[in-house]
């Protein structure tokens, strides 16, 4: 049985902020009807995250699917060939992420088949899948990414959708698989082959057991904030971003991902101005009482000085896209001057919701690398960092790496 099955459910029904997780069949199944939905999440189901059939003609916005290796499609959208009413889902604002396939390595992240129509805009399809869009077993419906089509005997796939799914077979981006009998306009279907620039999606994961953290929101000024399409239908909320998320993490507090610490607390909103970069090569100050985010290993390089003023808080993610624990590294010749007070200490902590803390190993830690003597009078590479990124040791016992005073380092220790 599907997680939630909608059989001929009408548009008078309210469907908002609903999630299906770990279902053995489909997550959401729509058999006909016209029920509309917003803020829907389908996680780690064994078949399709979203499935429409039998003439479903509802509207969906802000839908999210996280499909592990055992799942099939993020969306399977069928009709009954040319029998009316033809299925015509309207989707605007979806983020679909795939972990690869334990089977069906040529399957699309979205499959539209059996005469299915619809209108698909502001989509983000990413991760490891056979293809982004798979279109087969078509009827007489028109297909285009270029022109306005007639409802309901058509399938419109917006050319501004972001599709950068990578095939397990070829290890290259494969956007579309279109069966010969499915007739599209010349050069269509089309999508943008760009990185959607999401805050955190691990490059390698297979199931929830090795998914330590994810943040599906787009990075400020990234590609998801460009070429946004506006659907004039009054149901759809106008946005300035593609996908299911803007700066608001609407999964916060109620999703499985929130309950089990797989997403940051909803108050965490990284921007270009409050996120520490990969390298700091010139002196930089984190102001009094401010909140900054550590999303990767950050290296303060010689001769830069990182100043952290009293009351500042640095919150760290559990891992970066490559599985490395975010860590602040003060290299040889660089300094950190972190001077708090008893009333206003400086705090390094986790992005997790406070309700899940304390917890060990939620981020890396703070590493200072100096030029003083070590055993043997040589140099070495510090534990926790790749070779060449953590050199320490020398001959200057008076070396200074700065000042730490009234500093709290909480919940670290991840590799």
């Amino acid at each position: 049985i599907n997680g939630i099955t909608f059989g001929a459910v009408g548009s008078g029904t309210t469907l908002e902020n609903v999630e299906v997780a770990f279902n053995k069949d489909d997550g959401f199944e729509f058999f006909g009807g016209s029920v509309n939905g917003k803020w829907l999440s389908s996680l780690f189901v064994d078949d399709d995250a979203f499935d429409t059939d039998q003439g479903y003609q509802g509207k969906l916005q802000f839908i999210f699917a996280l499909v592990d290796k055992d799942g099939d499609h993020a969306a399977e959208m069928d009709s009954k060939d040319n029998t009316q009413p033809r299925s015509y889902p309207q989707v605007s604002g979806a983020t679909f992420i795939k972990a690869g396939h334990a089977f069906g390595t040529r399957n699309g992240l979205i499959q539209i088949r059996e005469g299915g129509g619809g209108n698909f805009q502001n989509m983000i399809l990413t991760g490891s899948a056979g293809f982004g869009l798979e279109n087969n077993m078509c009827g007489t419906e028109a297909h285009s990414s270029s022109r306005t089509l007639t409802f309901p005997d058509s399938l419109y796939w917006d050319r501004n959708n972001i599709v950068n799914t990578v095939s397990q077979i070829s290890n290259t981006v494969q956007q579309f698989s279109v069966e010969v009998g499915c007739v599209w306009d010349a050069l269509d279907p089309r999508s943008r082959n760009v990185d959607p620039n999401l805050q955190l999606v691990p490059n390698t994961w297979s199931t929830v057991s090795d998914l330590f953290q994810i943040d599906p929101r787009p990075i400020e000024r990234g590609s998801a904030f460009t070429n946004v399409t506006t659907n004039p239908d009054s149901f759809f909320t106008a946005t300035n971003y593609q996908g299911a998320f803007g700066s608001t993490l609407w999964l916060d507090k109620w999703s499985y991902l929130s309950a089990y610490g797989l997403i940051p607390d909803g108050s965490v909103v990284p921007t270009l101005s409050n996120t520490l970069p990969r390298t700091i090569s010139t002196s930089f100050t984190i102001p009094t009482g401010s909140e900054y985010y550590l999303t990767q290993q950050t290296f303060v390089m010689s001769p830069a000085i990182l100043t952290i003023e009293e009351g500042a808080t640095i919150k760290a993610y559990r891992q970066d896209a490559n599985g490395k624990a975010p860590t602040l590294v003060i290299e040889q010749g660089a300094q950190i001057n972190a001077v708090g007070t008893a009333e206003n200490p400086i705090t390094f902590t986790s992005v997790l919701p406070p309700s899940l803390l304390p917890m060990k190993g939620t981020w890396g830690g703070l590493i200072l690398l100096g030029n003083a003597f070590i055993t043997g009078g040589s140099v070495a590479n510090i534990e926790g960092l790749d070779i060449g990124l953590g050199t320490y040791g020398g001959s200057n016992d008076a070396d200074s790496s700065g000042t730490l005073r009234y500093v709290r380092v909480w919940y670290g220790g991840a590799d």
Side-chain angles (χ1 to χ4, degrees):
I1 296 177
N2 306 301
I4 306 177
T5 302
F6 299 88
V9 175
S11 60
T13 307
T14 299
L15 176 62
E16 295 181 351
N17 296 99
V18 179
E19 179 172 273
V20 176
F22 298 101
N23 203 67
K24 193 169 179 61
D25 200 350
D26 295 336
F28 294 80
E29 173 77 66
F30 300 89
F31 289 119
S34 55
V35 60
N36 305 317
K38 286 185 176 180
W39 304 292
L40 309 181
S41 168
S42 184
L43 311 173
F44 315 119
V45 304
D46 272 359
D47 198 359
D48 306 316
F50 297 90
D51 195 320
T52 64
D53 202 349
Q54 296 183 1
Y56 173 72
Q57 294 185 353
K59 303 162 189 174
L60 303 172
Q61 187 176 27
F62 311 130
I63 63 174
F64 176 56
L66 199 52
V67 186
D68 67 15
K69 69 176 181 63
D70 298 316
D72 198 357
H73 308 95
E76 181 179 88
M77 297 181 158
D78 304 336
S79 195
K80 295 300 176 190
D81 301 313
N82 295 316
T83 303
Q84 298 293 333
R86 188 187 301 276
S87 294
Y88 192 89
Q90 296 187 57
V91 182
S92 181
T95 299
F96 294 160
I97 301 171
K98 185 75 172 80
H101 295 273
F103 60 91
T105 55
R106 297 190 62 83
N107 288 357
L109 190 49
I110 294 180
Q111 183 181 44
I112 303 175
R113 62 178 185 172
E114 297 178 352
N119 186 304
F120 298 86
Q121 301 173 330
N122 298 327
M123 311 286 289
I124 293 178
L125 279 60
T126 191
S128 179
F131 300 91
L133 169 64
E134 179 183 4
N135 185 212
N136 51 25
M137 302 171 66
C138 296
T140 58
E141 71 280 359
H143 302 78
S144 183
S145 294
S146 309
R147 60 189 172 97
T148 301
L149 299 174
T150 303
F151 168 89
D153 295 319
S154 62
L155 171 57
Y156 177 77
W157 182 266
D158 195 285
R159 67 173 68 185
N160 292 319
N161 293 336
I162 295 175
V163 180
N164 75 327
T165 45
V166 175
S167 165
Q168 284 182 227
I169 299 172
S170 65
N171 199 34
T172 59
V173 171
Q174 298 292 325
Q175 292 186 304
F176 303 108
S177 173
V178 177
E179 196 173 73
V180 172
C182 298
V183 181
W184 286 74
D185 286 351
L187 304 180
D188 293 340
R190 280 179 274 178
S191 283
R192 292 194 292 154
N193 176 9
V194 296
D195 186 332
N197 302 133
L198 304 183
Q199 288 284 356
L200 172 60
V201 177
N203 292 329
T204 302
W205 67 285
S206 57
T207 66
V208 67
S209 64
D210 58 7
L211 181 68
F212 296 113
Q213 198 164 66
I214 189 167
D215 188 343
R217 294 174 294 179
I219 293 172
E220 182 185 26
R221 301 182 198 168
S223 59
F225 287 97
T226 62
N227 300 101
V228 179
T229 301
T230 298
N231 190 314
D233 190 289
S234 61
F235 170 80
F236 294 104
T237 302
T239 71
N240 66 343
Y241 56 86
Q242 300 216 35
F245 303 92
S247 60
T248 299
L249 189 55
W250 48 261
L251 299 167
D252 181 45
K253 293 183 174 61
W254 64 277
S255 170
Y256 173 91
L257 298 175
S258 180
Y260 288 89
L262 296 177
I263 56 174
D265 185 69
S267 65
V268 172
V269 183
T271 65
L272 295 177
S273 61
N274 68 13
T275 301
L276 293 177
R278 172 71 171 175
T279 59
I280 297 175
S281 57
T282 59
S283 294
F284 180 77
T285 297
I286 296 177
T288 299
S290 60
E291 186 170 294
Y292 272 66
Y293 300 110
L294 188 61
T295 62
Q296 59 191 322
Q297 292 180 345
T298 291
F299 296 85
V300 182
M301 305 169 66
S302 177
I305 299 173
L306 174 62
T307 300
I308 307 178
E309 297 181 341
E310 65 178 71
T313 300
I314 295 88
K315 293 185 176 180
Y317 279 67
R318 171 63 179 82
Q319 65 175 19
D320 65 12
N322 296 311
K324 303 290 187 182
T327 300
L328 179 61
V329 182
I330 313 301
E331 293 189 341
Q332 290 177 309
Q335 291 188 352
I336 178 172
N337 286 331
V339 180
T341 66
E343 295 76 21
N344 293 295
I346 293 163
T347 306
F348 289 83
T349 186
S350 169
V351 296
L352 289 179
S355 61
L356 297 180
L357 301 172
M359 183 189 299
K360 298 175 182 178
T362 67
W363 62 289
L366 176 60
I367 296 176
L368 280 67
L369 303 171
N371 289 290
F373 285 102
I374 61 174
T375 301
S378 61
V379 298
N381 203 89
I382 204 75
E383 63 182 14
L385 298 179
D386 290 343
I387 297 297
L389 295 180
T391 301
Y392 69 102
S395 58
N396 180 11
D397 269 352
D399 179 50
S400 174
S401 293
T403 302
L404 298 178
R405 184 176 294 130
Y406 289 106
V407 174
R408 309 184 297 192
V409 179
W410 291 351
Y411 319 129
D415 295 331

